Amino acid sequence: MIIAILSGKGGTGKTTVSTNLAYVLDKKGHSVKLIDLDAEEPNAHLFFDIDYSEHIDVDVKIPKVDNAKCTHCGDCAKACQFSAIVVSSKSVLVFAHLCHACGACLLACKYNALEEIPKNIGKISLGSANGIDFVKSQMNIGEPSAVRIIRQAKKYTNKDKINILDCPPGVSCPTVESIQMADFCVLVTEPTPFGLHDLKLAVDLTRQFGLKIGIVINRYDNKFIELESYLEENNIPMLLKIPYDIKIAQSYSKGKLFSKEIPQYENMFVELYNKILEIVQ
Amino acid sequence: MKILLATKGQTLDSAIDERFARASYFLIYDDKTGQLDVINNNQELSHGAGPQAVQIAIDNGASAIISAMPGQNALQAIRAANIKIYEAVGLSAKQAIEKLKSNELKEL
Amino acid sequence: MIVKQLAIVSGKGGTGKTTLSASFAHLAKNALMVDCDVDAPNLHIILKPEVNKTFEYFGSKKAFIDFDKCINCGICASVCRFEAIDFEQNQYRVKEYACEGCNACVIACPVNAISLKKTLNGKYFESTCETGYMAHALLNPGEETSGGLISEVRKLSLEIAYSKKIELIIIDGAPGIGCPATSSIVGAKSVIVVSEPTKSGLHDLVRIVETIKHFKIPHGIVINKFDINDEQTKEIEKYAQEENLEIIGKIPFDKTIVEATRKAKPIIEYDCKSAFAVKDIFEKTIQKLNLSPQS
């Protein structure tokens, strides 16, 4: 099973839910795999002692000009949709950080004057998080898109395990890539007008792809009823309310798992999983 | 010599734009013939506006650019194409051309 | 007239960027506010703008296959590096969400059956709110080119600033360190980085500072909820010292912020310790930007 954990924006507790759910399910004897797909800002590893076994470079291919063959005709620059090539009578300049590594310039070149060289855009790290199978994706700073790294990292899902995907925040391309193939999406939100606004965007996105969803409210304090009425009106299942508790914030700030630090909170993640199972089946 | 001026308006009286790559207009001025071509620079590109603007200069045969300080990408492309670049924010296109002729503009 | 742009950013969302921006809007009087978080804009929830003009944003192109011309040879799918073309229901089809509009399939198609078409990715707005003008946007869910939409919003904000003679633009930046974050800070005169004293907070802070340094823009740090973890706050201060970065101010953990957020009000409307800290940060920032006091 693949469970994607996402939220309309960052900072709502996506990683808190992912890491605690992974920890509790593992402790209860399930076979768990935690995959951090937030390649721009991976954070899940901070909550475990990770024993890395392998780092895999994610490379793309970018063009390189063979000056002997190039006629400076400019067809490559015209073909490029990302302005990553500038051709003058004196030079051909490739801007590696603008290049999407699509290969259009090679297809456009009539003189076979372009070859491709690898360029590293990030890496995927495999390891064990206190016994839990762990995958981390990380993009290099300044790269145009994390989508390819996410696509690679997703290939490490294991169908015999419970795969928990800590997805990128927001509702743009990297998130879309992350939630493809998910059996279930957990949307994490907080009980504020901001949280509700962003939640609606995330709900729209998941519905666009016909995915099964449920909500976790983080920092729940029983004071913002608009959120619950929205869920009721739209028939969206509420899975879990994590209370507003300074002890949870403190344990997060120390890089600790609150379900481990505060044992009374352990069981809520078992219940979360059971509710997900119920809906999926 | 053809000069590309990155301006706010469509005439030689318009001011040099504070942005190079995302300037409102590019004026291509030929100082031999006095001919003026106006390019409406309505770029919607998400990235790569700088290199794109330099490609426009190259494709129009400009050997000098008068504009605001270009970004790193644009500057790199300008150097590679061997185009001269002058900063002239605060002047009109006409004033900038005159100052260029009298060697009063600072080459970047 | 010179327009000065101040960007407020953070390595990730949820650190209090918008809380700070909204208060700055009220303190600055007549500053033009720009929300660059086009994926999940929030500033409008507090500033409650009235939209005057709406613009459509067609930033990206996507490939379209003309099924009448297509001979189903599959070359397009083989050249596509984004796994965006699949054979489904007897026909090669483009998966729109995966297509980056790169043009490779258009060039490769032997029967010219594919073309790039501009697609509507989102909308952006020129608005007025109680603090003055505002420029903001909303990307359609699942779209990618938010960097481009941000450029459009910022272009619009400059147009408004010049035509209405507004000296200061305050940008509520996009979170993260990617293209949207970069598009939020390019051209800014000064950047404020909002950070939190959590283990991940320092990690995120370091990454966004690296990005800002690349653009050589002066920047300083604000630590939000600094008193929830003294140890991590000290770590951030140590990092700032090593990097020679100013800590512009520290905002205490304050339940009033929770209350203000729930009511969608700027924190400075409350008489509390965090409001005091925010006002102090504002004063220091304005001094550094060398603005006339009433602007």
Side-chain angles (χ1 to χ4, degrees):
Chain A
M1 175 150 77
I2 300 175
I3 304 170
I5 318 279
L6 58 149
S7 65
K9 68 158 186 161
T12 54
K14 205 169 38 62
T15 302
T16 303
V17 173
S18 308
T19 50
N20 283 287
L21 179 62
Y23 164 74
V24 172
L25 292 184
D26 174 74
K27 195 182 166 196
K28 299 291 173 189
H30 292 280
S31 181
V32 178
K33 187 154 193 166
L34 176 61
I35 305 181
D36 193 345
L37 293 181
D38 188 2
E40 264 196 55
E41 296 287 336
N43 275 336
H45 63 281
L46 299 171
F47 296 88
F48 299 95
D49 293 317
I50 313 275
D51 189 4
Y52 288 108
S53 54
E54 202 181 343
H55 298 280
I56 300 140
D57 282 329
V58 180
D59 290 344
V60 295
K61 287 188 240 163
I62 64 163
K64 182 172 178 275
V65 186
D66 181 343
N67 284 316
K69 289 183 187 162
C70 178
T71 65
H72 298 256
C73 70
D75 282 354
C76 53
K78 282 192 200 83
C80 180
Q81 297 297 303
F82 312 106
S83 290
I85 308 181
V86 174
V87 178
S88 71
S89 59
K90 311 205 168 47
S91 67
V92 178
L93 211 56
V94 176
F95 291 92
H97 59 283
L98 295 174
C99 178
H100 285 222
C102 66
C105 52
L106 267 86
L107 292 167
C109 180
K110 293 191 284 282
Y111 306 97
N112 207 10
L114 291 170
E115 56 172 336
E116 290 190 297
I117 51 170
K119 183 199 165 203
N120 181 254
I121 58 166
K123 68 177 177 190
I124 292 165
S125 304
L126 310 180
S128 161
N130 310 45
I132 302 166
D133 255 12
F134 180 69
V135 180
K136 178 174 88 165
S137 60
Q138 182 152 24
M139 177 176 85
N140 296 343
I141 289 176
E143 286 303 326
S145 164
V147 169
R148 283 193 199 199
I149 301 166
I150 293 167
R151 194 179 294 146
Q152 285 298 320
K154 261 170 50 186
K155 293 189 175 151
Y156 292 95
T157 49
N158 180 335
K159 62 178 183 337
D160 299 326
K161 293 185 182 234
I162 302 168
N163 300 275
I164 297 168
L165 312 183
D166 189 1
C167 298
V171 290
S172 63
C173 268
T175 309
V176 174
E177 182 63 39
S178 305
I179 60 175
Q180 304 298 321
M181 293 160 52
D183 298 301
F184 193 85
C185 293
V186 175
L187 310 187
V188 184
T189 187
E190 52 181 23
T192 66
F194 298 96
L196 177 56
H197 175 267
D198 298 339
L199 175 67
K200 287 177 184 169
L201 297 174
V203 168
D204 284 350
L205 179 74
T206 50
R207 293 220 159 137
Q208 214 174 301
F209 291 99
L211 295 159
K212 287 179 181 149
I213 62 170
I215 307 297
V216 170
I217 305 180
N218 193 17
R219 303 184 198 108
Y220 183 77
D221 62 358
N222 200 16
K223 285 180 188 152
F224 184 68
I225 50 159
E226 286 91 331
L227 175 57
E228 278 140 293
S229 22
Y230 165 77
L231 297 180
E232 262 170 47
E233 278 163 30
N234 289 277
N235 224 347
I236 301 168
M238 159 94 82
L239 306 172
L240 169 66
K241 295 168 182 169
I242 301 174
Y244 185 86
D245 181 345
I246 182 92
K247 279 189 250 152
I248 295 179
Q250 281 166 343
S251 102
Y252 176 85
S253 79
K254 287 185 221 144
K256 299 253 164 79
L257 296 163
F258 79 89
S259 58
K260 190 177 178 180
E261 296 271 297
I262 317 163
Q264 77 202 64
Y265 288 137
E266 185 183 291
N267 210 37
M268 64 163 77
F269 288 97
V270 178
E271 281 166 26
L272 170 62
Y273 178 64
N274 288 339
K275 282 189 184 159
I276 293 171
L277 263 190
E278 219 170 274
I279 299 172
V280 170
Q281 287 159 359
Chain B
M1 179 177 74
K2 279 189 177 176
I3 305 162
L4 179 142
L5 300 115
T7 55
K8 289 182 180 171
Q10 306 185 41
T11 67
L12 286 177
D13 291 321
S14 20
I16 300 295
D17 204 306
E18 280 95 355
R19 301 156 295 171
F20 163 59
R22 294 191 190 269
S24 303
Y25 296 93
F26 293 139
L27 308 183
I28 309 286
Y29 178 74
D30 189 329
D31 70 347
K32 280 205 190 80
T33 64
Q35 197 192 324
L36 182 71
D37 291 323
V38 181
I39 298 167
N40 189 351
N41 181 35
N42 53 355
Q43 292 205 35
E44 281 176 337
L45 275 180
S46 49
H47 335 265
Q52 173 86 343
V54 179
Q55 191 70 56
I56 290 171
I58 295 166
D59 293 345
N60 284 281
S63 50
I65 292 172
I66 300 178
S67 71
M69 176 69 187
Q72 290 178 8
N73 291 339
L75 201 57
Q76 203 187 332
I78 290 166
R79 301 266 187 251
N82 216 357
I83 294 174
K84 288 188 190 311
I85 167 86
Y86 302 91
E87 208 235 281
V89 173
L91 300 179
S92 72
K94 197 188 277 169
Q95 289 167 333
I97 294 167
E98 275 159 19
K99 289 214 167 185
L100 178 69
K101 282 180 182 162
S102 56
N103 285 326
E104 284 176 76
L105 278 192
K106 190 179 78 186
E107 189 177 344
L108 290 170
Chain C
M1 187 187 81
I2 292 172
V3 176
K4 289 179 177 166
Q5 303 184 69
L6 167 71
I8 301 175
V9 301
S10 65
K12 69 159 193 154
T15 56
K17 209 166 32 63
T18 303
T19 301
L20 196 64
S21 304
S23 284
F24 271 34
H26 281 266
L27 290 166
K29 297 183 186 83
N30 197 33
L32 171 73
M33 299 304 297
V34 186
D35 192 347
C36 282
D37 190 352
V38 300
D39 287 13
N42 279 166
L43 191 59
H44 68 281
I45 296 172
I46 300 184
L47 297 183
K48 304 173 186 72
E50 217 170 279
V51 174
N52 300 329
K53 281 187 205 160
T54 301
F55 305 86
E56 289 185 325
Y57 173 65
F58 295 87
S60 71
K61 293 176 184 168
K62 294 194 189 296
F64 283 86
I65 301 175
D66 181 342
F67 295 157
D68 292 336
K69 288 188 189 166
C70 176
I71 54 169
N72 277 327
C73 66
I75 291 175
C76 52
S78 71
V79 300
C80 178
R81 296 189 181 173
F82 306 101
E83 296 172 27
I85 303 181
D86 275 346
F87 192 74
E88 267 172 16
Q89 298 167 322
N90 300 320
Q91 173 67 53
Y92 281 94
R93 293 168 198 272
V94 178
K95 286 188 282 184
E96 273 195 44
Y97 73 87
C99 176
E100 297 200 8
C102 76
N103 210 19
C105 57
V106 178
I107 298 169
C109 177
V111 293
N112 290 324
I114 313 179
S115 55
L116 290 184
K117 286 191 183 145
K118 282 192 170 179
T119 51
L120 180 68
N121 304 136
K123 288 182 178 151
Y124 56 108
F125 316 99
E126 178 182 329
S127 302
T128 35
C129 55
E130 54 177 343
T131 68
Y133 286 91
M134 178 170 176
H136 52 123
L138 183 58
L139 193 70
N140 292 348
E143 289 294 343
E144 91 162 315
T145 49
S146 52
L149 181 51
I150 290 167
S151 302
E152 291 302 316
V153 175
R154 292 197 52 199
K155 209 193 260 182
L156 173 67
S157 74
L158 280 169
E159 278 165 21
I160 303 170
Y162 282 109
S163 69
K164 311 287 179 193
K165 308 242 175 301
I166 299 167
E167 245 191 298
L168 175 63
I169 294 179
I170 299 174
I171 299 162
D172 186 3
I177 56 154
C179 165
T182 304
S183 301
S184 309
I185 58 174
V186 171
K189 176 96 179 162
S190 174
V191 178
I192 295 176
V193 189
V194 184
S195 178
E196 282 183 335
T198 62
K199 204 169 171 190
S200 51
L202 179 60
H203 178 257
D204 298 333
L205 172 68
V206 173
R207 284 168 63 101
I208 184 72
V209 166
E210 290 300 317
T211 309
I212 302 166
K213 265 168 42 189
H214 177 83
F215 288 99
K216 302 187 172 60
I217 303 169
H219 50 290
I221 298 169
V222 165
I223 309 177
N224 193 15
K225 303 183 204 155
F226 78 92
D227 46 359
I228 60 164
N229 189 331
D230 289 340
E231 211 176 298
Q232 285 294 335
T233 294
K234 282 198 189 98
E235 285 292 316
I236 294 175
E237 286 169 330
K238 199 175 116 202
Y239 166 76
Q241 203 173 12
E242 282 163 9
E243 289 287 322
N244 210 5
L245 291 174
E246 186 196 356
I247 305 272
I248 308 166
K250 296 192 278 188
I251 305 170
F253 181 83
D254 188 342
K255 280 219 157 172
T256 319
I257 290 191
V258 182
E259 174 70 13
T261 305
R262 189 164 46 233
K263 298 224 165 108
K265 285 193 169 161
I267 186 67
I268 54 136
E269 282 188 7
Y270 294 78
D271 189 17
C272 62
K273 53 187 181 175
S274 53
F276 187 74
V278 168
K279 284 177 192 161
D280 184 56
I281 292 163
F282 177 77
E283 293 302 327
K284 282 187 187 161
T285 307
I286 288 304
Q287 266 177 19
K288 234 176 295 155
L289 283 169
N290 260 330
L291 286 164
S292 40
Q294 67 271 43
S295 59

